Amino acid sequence: MTKLIRFLPLILVITLGVVLYRGLSLNPQDLPSALVGKKMPEFTLPTLKQNSEVVNQGNIVGDIALVNVWATWCPTCKYEHPYLVDIGKDPRLKLYGLNYKDDKLAAQKWLQVYEDPYVFSIFDKAGILGLDLGVYGAPETFVLDHHGIIRKRFAGAIDNKVWRREFEPLIALLMEEKKQGK
């Protein structure tokens, strides 16, 4: 019994090392989402530009869509924004913004200064839709197929490398599915 007690600290250190190694090898952008494979949550919220204009999940169904969660308080969103401007010009998809827990005037000014790549931006001041989507923070991007089903969740900034690796293959697949009427 005393021999086992001598080796107990070594066993604990090895176990801790294995757990830490496993944790460090995970990709922080691969966040699990219970919503992948399910419809976009129902919502009714104003757009960022017009308080009187209210949109819901039905406004983003019918095309392949990216819903990008962004905010002016997010420094990574500023890095990502020029890439979103280019993505917004892609005729294969529609890009929608979800302005998350932000100041409305600051967000409107942001889109004037840095260019507005979105079909429209949903203004989610209280973070209700973000909560329904399981948003951890900004930026996050959700890919929806033409039926409004969430097919991917990506946490972090999109740039050219990430776009080619994470999004291009899925967009091509969704285009093919839409073409085949699936």
Side-chain angles (χ1 to χ4, degrees):
M1 182 69 165
T2 57
K3 287 184 180 184
L4 179 63
I5 291 175
R6 282 188 201 164
F7 288 108
L8 190 60
L10 179 62
I11 293 169
L12 288 174
V13 167
I14 290 171
T15 304
L16 183 61
V18 169
V19 169
L20 288 174
Y21 178 77
R22 171 72 178 125
L24 291 173
S25 66
L26 296 174
N27 183 351
Q29 292 158 335
D30 286 341
L31 293 174
S33 177
L35 295 179
V36 171
K38 296 182 180 171
K39 286 196 173 278
M40 175 82 172
E42 291 186 17
F43 67 91
T44 302
L45 289 168
T47 63
L48 183 61
K49 290 189 176 178
Q50 301 281 334
N51 244 355
S52 59
E53 183 182 7
V54 176
V55 293
N56 60 41
Q57 68 284 355
N59 294 96
I60 57 178
V61 175
D63 292 302
I64 297 168
L66 267 64
V67 177
N68 177 256
V69 180
W70 68 281
T72 58
W73 47 260
C74 164
T76 309
C77 296
K78 189 172 183 178
Y79 165 79
E80 174 186 61
H81 197 79
Y83 299 101
L84 294 176
V85 170
D86 288 339
I87 292 166
K89 296 173 185 171
D90 189 331
R92 300 174 300 166
L93 55 91
K94 303 280 187 194
L95 178 60
Y96 300 93
L98 175 58
N99 184 246
Y100 182 65
K101 295 184 177 182
D102 207 353
D103 176 71
K104 188 170 198 165
L105 293 176
Q108 289 171 338
K109 185 175 180 182
W110 168 291
L111 293 179
Q112 287 174 345
V113 171
Y114 297 115
E115 193 174 344
D116 186 353
Y118 306 110
V119 174
F120 58 77
S121 251
I122 303 159
F123 184 57
D124 191 16
K125 178 152 183 78
I128 295 166
L129 179 56
L131 183 64
D132 289 344
L133 286 168
V135 170
Y136 287 92
E140 287 188 30
T141 304
F142 295 84
V143 179
L144 282 67
D145 66 17
H146 58 287
H147 298 294
I149 306 294
I150 297 172
R151 301 291 289 267
K152 181 177 186 63
R153 174 190 190 175
F154 182 82
I158 297 173
D159 58 21
N160 289 331
K161 183 179 177 185
V162 169
W163 178 256
R164 283 191 304 274
R165 184 184 72 236
E166 297 286 334
F167 291 88
E168 275 291 341
L170 179 57
I171 299 299
L173 174 69
L174 295 177
M175 289 295 297
E176 188 60 32
E177 287 179 6
K178 185 176 179 182
K179 185 177 166 183
Q180 292 177 4
K182 291 184 181 181

